Every structure is written in structure tokens, then in C-alpha cells.
Amino acid sequence: MEENERRTRIEELARQIWEAEGRPDGQGVRHWLMAERLLDAELQAAHREHEQ
């Protein structure tokens, strides 16, 4: 995954998390870090599926 594609996906996930939590202020860093972890988990799962 290219860096721009990764950043865009993280932005999408972070926004989804933010919206799901009721759009709280001051949680951007936490949402970004959560989104990074979610994306990493998605990529690992896809990689494992591909190996099988």
C-alpha cells in the first residue's frame, strides 16, 4: 500500500471513529492512532487470507 493510500485510509477510519463516538473535540490523536491500528489489522488479515 502506497503512503498516500495509507494516509487516506487512516483519515477515513479516524473520521468514522470520530463520528461513531459522537464527534468529540480533542480526540484527534487518539482517533488517528486507533485508525492506524485498525488499518494494520486489516492489512495483516488480508495478508493471512492471501497466504492460505
Side-chain angles (χ1 to χ4, degrees):
M1 173 176 278
E2 291 184 20
E3 190 59 34
N4 286 341
E5 184 181 3
R6 178 180 172 78
R7 181 178 179 83
T8 299
R9 182 65 180 135
I10 292 169
E11 288 173 353
E12 291 170 354
L13 289 169
R15 181 173 183 82
Q16 290 173 5
I17 294 166
W18 174 69
E19 289 179 350
E21 290 187 356
R23 299 178 176 182
D25 291 332
Q27 299 296 312
V29 172
R30 185 174 64 84
H31 293 152
W32 186 271
L33 294 173
M34 288 174 65
E36 285 182 321
R37 288 191 300 269
L38 284 170
L39 178 58
D40 289 342
E42 284 180 0
L43 294 173
Q44 287 176 2
H47 181 73
R48 277 187 240 123
E49 268 186 30
H50 182 68
E51 288 181 338
Q52 293 179 0

